Amino acid sequence: MLRTSDSTDRAQNPPAAQQHPQARDGGTPARLLAQRGLFFGPTALVPEDLYSAVEKGTARRERDRVTLAPGARVSTNSYFGRFHATYWQRWTDVGEVEVSAVAAGSGRIRLMASDTNKVWRIVASCDVRDADATPVRLVGAIDRFVDGGGMWLEITTETGELTVSDVRWTVAATRPVPPTDVAICTFNRVDDCLNTLQALADDPGAQECVRTVYVVDQGSDPVESRERFAGIAEALGERLRYLRQRNLGGAGGFTRGMFHATEGAPEEHADVLFMDDDVLLEPEILVRLTAFAASTREPTIVGGQMLNLLHPGHLHISAEYADPEQLQMGLKVPGALREAYLLGEDERRLPVNQERRVDTEYNGWWSCLIPAAVVRAVGYPLPLFLQWDDIEYGYRARAHGFPTVSLPGAGVWHADFGWKDGDEWQRYFTIRNGLIMAALHSGFSVPKLTRRLGQLLSHQLVAMQYGMSATLLKAVEDFLHGPEALWDGSAGALAEVRKIRAEYPETVMHPMSEAQGDFRERQVVRAANEPGSETLTWLKRAAFHLAGRAVHRIGSVPAGDAHWWHVSTFERAIVTDMSEQGFRVRTRDKQTALELARRAAHTLRRFVREGPAVAARYRAEAGRLSSRENWARLYGMDD
């Protein structure tokens, strides 16, 4: 392991480039491992049916092998089990895939394929009789998958047992395989980070795809302080570089890994794979992302997908886009899956897969591989701290002609977004950075943006989210300050926002142990139907607030019912936090609401008047803010 104690130390030269498992003498390998055939997850905490399904009889599934009893059928037509051929045909020049395995016993192995409408067909088949560790080879052409479809294995037995192991999906290599560095950014999530590193350390095959693993620790509770760290460091050896630096958010942490991966001469640069610290890692993602990125026709950002950690059978989204002028991110591309239960079945008893190819516009940085060629062409991320940094970089690459592919079957489990409450300090960065994104990658329609900001503020004020309103106003005011607001890497804004929010009691989440008072006052009041006219409903709610009237004096509101038009009917609402770990108390305060409303009117007038000129300043400074020189300054390495 190489270690840098703080950000002022000069970066040591990374270890000599590790030879990719497919590379021969540093040249182009004959075959490239596209994915391994896995029948069970990295842990029993995730559903094994995401990998393989026992459709008939009984079978024993293990990580890299499956044993079928007589009269059984096992299919890998699943999220991790499929070879997503449609993405390979669209984005690479690979013409066929070869599936190799080792068979012991008697049975049949078929290579299956699907059309865009899920209709299956048999591509190749092999019967084995009384085999004893016999090699099996099946080949499928990647030639009928432009709009959708994939391939998988179907394994069956009749009168005997059959064990299939060491399944490898390989493709012909089209060029030398570039080295890949992994950048893991962490902040006081020590156990999560160690678990992620341990999963990688326990998988030598995945390790071989990596040159260097950068762990960028920005927290006050160091990862290296735990006993487990020493064992992990020993297992990863010289691949591991542990870096400490001040907290510059996800943007600053990830960029530090990119900074080192792309230092020196271009031929020494590595692709960089960003990885969140708080994921449940499927190490196979390293194999699949690096292989796909090494096969694309042109440099392509290749993103892994996010499955929900609390609900591990659900896929968050398979392809997304953003609408900066509405300050909205994570919008579903038409035809994409969103919050899909992958183990569900339709009327034909088929698993839920992304059958039709959908093309994304960016990929979140929970796991995302960015080629060195893209970095050289478009620069480094903006110092946005967090929120919109991954989106801005994806759209900037897109503007330079570099696509992003969100690759099915390459996924990690990440904390469910739906269980995160929107009334947090991160909301500041969502709004401020969304406005910066709009300045850089939209027409920056001041009327649209002003209407959207006004809508958010008006809803928050009647819903008694005064701290949220103050957070939003601070974000707009700092945007209007101009690109100078990013000069410290946005670190200063975090302390200011937390201080502002501490002045508003409804921003605090209380544990249920603090639920005191008459239980009858905590009666749950469910929301009625959505309003037919939001404008008329808001006017009515605002009039009630000004007049001191309320439909409900006090009551409890479930998280799923905490719509502005419902919470605004209370004088005092006890609202469940979206995390389901506690509650917040929103109490009507007419004076505070009026003060914030006056401030909002002033701020929005400023936005209308100054916004276009400020947006032009962001566009003018974007290149300097995302430069290597600026990041070197932020890291204290510009001496």
Side-chain angles (χ1 to χ4, degrees), residues 49-53 75-82 84 152 351 353:
D49 282 2
L50 288 174
Y51 294 81
S52 61
S75 171
T76 66
N77 186 20
S78 59
Y79 181 79
F80 287 107
R82 284 166 63 99
H84 295 270
W152 65 91
N353 286 305

Side-chain angles (χ1 to χ4, degrees), residues 252-392:
F254 285 130
T255 303
R256 181 71 183 274
M258 178 185 283
F259 187 91
H260 293 308
T262 56
E263 60 190 350
E267 60 270 17
E268 298 173 347
H269 292 180
D271 296 349
V272 59
L273 198 167
F274 292 162
M275 185 74 67
D276 269 350
D277 59 345
D278 59 343
V279 298
L280 195 166
L281 177 64
E282 169 51 85
E284 174 69 8
I285 195 172
L286 280 80
V287 175
R288 300 187 184 189
L289 292 187
T290 56
F292 193 86
S295 304
T296 54
R297 297 184 186 92
E298 56 189 345
T300 300
I301 296 175
V302 185
Q305 296 184 340
M306 172 186 150
L307 295 97
N308 292 336
L309 186 60
L310 286 173
H311 306 89
H314 289 76
L315 175 70
H316 168 55
I317 194 167
S318 59
E320 55 192 318
Y321 71 98
D323 185 347
E325 290 182 329
Q326 288 297 315
L327 302 176
Q328 292 179 321
M329 62 179 83
L331 301 173
K332 183 174 74 74
V333 170
L337 298 176
R338 184 188 182 107
E339 302 304 329
Y341 182 51
L342 299 173
L343 305 180
E345 298 177 339
D346 63 13
E347 66 277 5
R348 290 174 295 168
R349 301 185 63 80
L350 295 174
V352 175
N353 286 305
Q354 183 66 65
E355 201 70 66
R356 286 187 174 269
R357 194 195 77 250
V358 286
D359 298 332
T360 194
E361 298 194 355
Y362 69 92
N363 199 94
W365 283 353
W366 46 76
S367 58
C368 188
L369 187 149
I370 302 174
V374 173
V375 181
R376 289 193 293 270
V378 310
Y380 294 85
L382 285 172
L384 298 177
F385 200 83
L386 51 78
Q387 300 289 334
W388 290 94
D389 45 352
D390 45 6
I391 302 172
E392 190 282 326

